[in-house]
Every structure is written in structure tokens, then in C-alpha cells.
Amino acid sequence: MKMLTRAATAAVTMAAGLTFGAGPASATDCEPNCANPDTVEPVRQLNPYITIGVLRQSCGTMMSHSVDSTPVRLTVANRTRTPFVLYWHNTSGSRESARTLQPPATVNITTYRGHAWEVASTTGTCLSQFVISDDSTRSYVTYG
């Protein structure tokens, strides 16, 4: 399974390219400004190219819910050129457990079915959200 996952990741990385963080499409896509390209973050959704055991959500209000007490190993990989922050949303919808993933980074987290997660820029702008599937035992999300 590890070999298959690595092969799929490599193939999709090559096919998709590393477009997130490559620079803004226009001056209106810059955050906080375009004067210094080292601090520019594209303001757009970050779409994962590999998702297993998660349900993708549009950025917006979301909260974790309890399905059962089955632990799920969540692996999140940052294959972009830009750091991002991974947040867990509690049952009230508040962000918690912030963890910055510098590229190239992979993190393994024990979570639970129904838990909500968000990937945000280092300035706090939501880029992507997902929820651990109700039947998942292992989840993968790779950005890049």
C-alpha cells in the first residue's frame, strides 16, 4: 500500500505540477501586497489532488461532530511551494490545534470520524476544508 501511495503521489505531482504558490495571476490576487513577491500568497481555493477517506468542503463555517470513538490516522502532505496552517475545528466551529506545514512536509495526526479540518494561508485565509468520512479508518490529503 505504501508503494502504491508513493507511486500515485509522484505521478499526480508530475501531472499536476506545483502551481499553488507559483505567484499571483494578477495584482488583485495578492495578499497582503504584490510589492514583495516573497510575501505574496495567492488568494484562492487550494484544491487537494489526492483525498482518501475525507469529504471535501467549500470554505465556510464548519464544525466537528462525533460519529463514534474510532480513531483515524490522518496524513496531510504539503507539496506546494508555500507554507500553510492546518486547523482542527472543534464542535463549536472554532479553530484549534494550529500546525504550520512548511513545504515539503507531511504530518500524521490521530483524529476521529466526523472531525472537521481546515487548511489556511499563514495569514489565516481559508484555502480548503474537509471532514473525516463517517466510515474512514485511514485518511490522506495531499496538496501540491
Side-chain angles (χ1 to χ4, degrees):
M1 182 66 176
K2 286 184 181 181
M3 290 293 288
L4 178 61
T5 301
R6 287 181 185 156
T9 300
V12 176
T13 299
M14 289 173 54
L18 299 177
T19 57
F20 178 76
S26 70
T28 59
D29 288 340
C30 297
E31 184 184 293
N33 64 55
C34 289
N36 183 352
D38 293 333
T39 62
V40 171
E41 291 186 40
V43 180
R44 60 180 179 258
Q45 291 282 322
L46 176 61
N47 292 314
Y49 66 82
I50 296 178
T51 58
I52 300 170
V54 301
L55 304 171
R56 289 179 49 201
Q57 306 287 319
S58 298
C59 285
T61 305
M62 65 184 305
M63 60 186 68
S64 292
H65 66 278
S66 178
V67 174
D68 58 33
S69 59
T70 302
V72 176
R73 184 174 177 188
L74 168 64
T75 299
V76 178
N78 181 357
R79 301 293 179 253
T80 70
R81 295 182 209 165
T82 307
F84 61 69
V85 182
L86 180 65
Y87 293 99
W88 171 70
H89 283 254
N90 64 24
T91 56
S92 300
S94 298
R95 287 174 166 176
E96 289 192 20
S97 305
R99 183 176 293 186
T100 300
L101 276 77
Q102 297 288 337
T106 301
V107 63
N108 291 299
I109 300 166
T110 300
T111 187
Y112 297 91
R113 296 172 176 172
H115 278 198
W117 293 86
E118 177 181 338
V119 172
S121 69
T122 55
T123 60
T125 302
C126 177
L127 301 171
S128 178
Q129 292 180 323
F130 58 92
V131 176
I132 305 299
S133 300
D134 291 354
D135 60 351
S136 181
T137 56
R138 185 78 171 93
S139 297
Y140 299 89
V141 182
T142 301
Y143 296 90

